[in-house]
């Protein structure tokens, strides 16, 4: 009698045999890189007021908003480096196993890990956009020490180029993410509470199309009891390398 396969072995088979493997990631994948999550233990929204990244609050209180935004998003981002979870996904893409990543994260760590097809559903902290002339600048090309960072071209107020509450999803990221999810037969869902629409609907699309969901989260999420076929209650930086080892054994 064949020994009962472990959950890791069965998940590794699903990954290896996938026709169109994708990943959907949230803040949890970057926690081991030193970036706090938004919710749950050590969550940013336990410490800071999410109104700071609410678009009408930002427009009415730019100085207060910017002061908090720098603390929340720019202080921890500088030192953060990709961790083994980001690196595993990048390696699977290089091997032609993973087709792309839809990320809710704005920290650019997937790209720094070497991933090429990354759709940033909520934009990026790496760029700022002028609220007057619309010009976009890389964050090192502007002076962030100002209380209210201003546009080098027209002196207008700059805003980080990530999606504030009350703003729409960047058109390109939305369309590309929808396309990727619609083609995916296996999606690895890593480090997300699955609470923020419309991003959190991406894994549901895969499930509705008959796909397989492999969830990695240190706590149960909205997906765990509803759409996850596999659930690893482990740190992403530990389980993803273990899954990579199990996939290698199948070769
Ligand atoms: N490994 C795996 N999962 C982890 C780890 C870890 N090391 N550490 C934390 N987690 C899990 C938490 O249990 C939680 O379920 O990651 C999840 C992070 O959830 P959130 O903080 O809600 O982050 P996310 O789902 O990405 O939030 C979505 O909310 O505020 C907005 O725009 C913001 O993109 C963000 C969106």
């Amino acid at each position: 009698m064949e020994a009962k396969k472990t959950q890791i072995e069965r998940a590794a088979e699903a990954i290896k045999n996938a026709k169109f493997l994708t990943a959907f990631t949230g803040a949890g994948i970057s926690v081991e890189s030193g970036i706090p999550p938004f919710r749950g233990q050590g969550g940013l929204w336990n410490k800071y007021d999410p109104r700071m990244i609410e678009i009408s609050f930002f427009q009415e209180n730019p100085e207060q908003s910017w002061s908090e935004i720098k603390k929340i998003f720019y202080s921890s981002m500088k030192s953060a480096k990709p961790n083994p979870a980001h690196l595993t996904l990048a390696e699977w893409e290089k091997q032609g196993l993973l087709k792309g990543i839809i990320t809710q994260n704005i920290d650019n760590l997937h790209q720094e890990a070497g991933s090429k097809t990354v759709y940033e559903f909520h934009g990026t902290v790496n760029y700022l956009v002028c609220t007057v002339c619309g010009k976009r600048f890389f964050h090192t090309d502007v002076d962030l020490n100002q209380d209210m960072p201003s546009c080098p071209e027209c002196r207008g107020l700059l805003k980080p180029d990530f999606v504030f509450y009350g703003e729409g999803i960047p058109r390109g990221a939305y369309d590309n993410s929808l396309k990727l999810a619609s083609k995916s037969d296996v999606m690895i869902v890593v480090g997300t509470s699955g609470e923020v629409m419309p991003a959190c609907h991406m894994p549901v699309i895969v499930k509705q199309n008959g796909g397989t969901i492999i969830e990695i989260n240190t706590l149960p999420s909205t997906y765990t009891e509803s759409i996850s076929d596999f659930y690893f209650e482990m740190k992403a930086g530990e389980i993803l390398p273990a899954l990579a080892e199990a996939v290698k054994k199948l070769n």
Side-chain angles (χ1 to χ4, degrees):
M1 204 265 291
E2 193 188 52
K4 198 166 163 308
K5 283 194 181 111
T6 65
Q7 198 190 199
I8 286 194
E9 284 165 340
R10 286 187 298 108
E13 278 174 358
I15 289 167
K16 176 105 178 62
N17 302 329
K19 294 182 190 59
F20 200 91
L21 177 70
T22 60
F24 176 67
T25 65
I29 198 170
S30 298
V31 165
E32 290 155 88
S33 297
I35 298 179
F38 291 100
R39 299 169 185 82
Q41 200 189 350
L44 288 165
W45 298 146
N46 307 336
K47 200 168 150 196
Y48 296 100
D49 180 348
R51 272 183 319 155
M52 296 304 132
I53 61 164
E54 203 281 315
I55 191 64
S56 45
F57 184 90
F58 173 77
Q59 285 159 344
E60 283 145 34
N61 314 275
E63 191 158 356
Q64 183 187 352
S65 233
W66 254 115
S67 156
E68 296 297 283
I69 285 171
K70 286 182 199 176
K71 287 182 222 158
I72 302 170
F73 296 103
Y74 287 88
S75 48
S76 63
M77 294 283 178
K78 272 204 198 69
S79 53
K81 290 278 161 275
N83 67 57
H86 299 103
L87 295 168
T88 300
L89 296 182
E91 182 52 34
W92 279 347
E93 183 187 40
K94 221 180 287 164
Q95 293 168 6
L97 194 59
L98 182 84
K99 304 299 179 198
I101 300 171
I102 302 167
T103 188
Q104 301 170 92
N105 299 342
I106 59 174
D107 56 31
N108 202 53
L109 289 181
H110 284 303
Q111 295 90 329
E112 285 178 35
S115 290
K116 300 278 178 270
T117 303
V118 180
Y119 299 128
E120 295 174 309
F121 212 88
H122 293 151
T124 174
V125 76
N126 266 9
Y127 284 86
L128 297 101
V129 65
C130 177
T131 57
V132 175
C133 70
K135 275 206 173 42
R136 211 164 169 262
F137 301 90
F138 194 66
H139 68 96
T140 51
D141 295 337
V142 296
D143 174 11
L144 284 176
N145 294 318
Q146 302 166 22
D147 290 346
M148 289 192 285
S150 58
C151 172
E153 302 266 313
C154 76
R155 313 307 312 154
L157 176 69
L158 289 175
K159 171 190 167 294
D161 199 18
F162 60 76
V163 179
F164 278 34
Y165 287 112
E167 280 193 302
I169 302 302
R171 185 84 246 162
Y174 187 82
D175 292 346
N176 288 323
S177 299
L178 222 43
K179 261 189 237 136
L180 204 72
S182 311
K183 288 194 277 189
S184 178
D185 63 327
V186 179
M187 178 177 264
I188 306 174
V189 176
V190 191
T192 177
S193 55
E195 292 185 16
V196 175
M197 281 299 277
C200 67
H201 191 61
M202 294 298 118
V204 176
I205 293 171
V206 176
K207 192 71 193 172
Q208 283 169 342
N209 292 342
T212 299
I213 301 294
I214 300 172
E215 183 183 8
I216 294 169
N217 196 321
T218 45
L219 283 173
S221 72
T222 57
Y223 303 119
T224 312
E225 293 304 316
S226 56
I227 63 170
S228 296
D229 299 285
F230 295 89
Y231 170 56
F232 293 99
E233 190 156 280
M234 289 173 73
K235 289 184 175 179
E238 288 164 15
I239 181 65
L240 274 165
L243 282 167
E245 277 311 300
V247 167
K248 254 191 231 145
K249 283 203 189 99
L250 297 172
N251 288 337

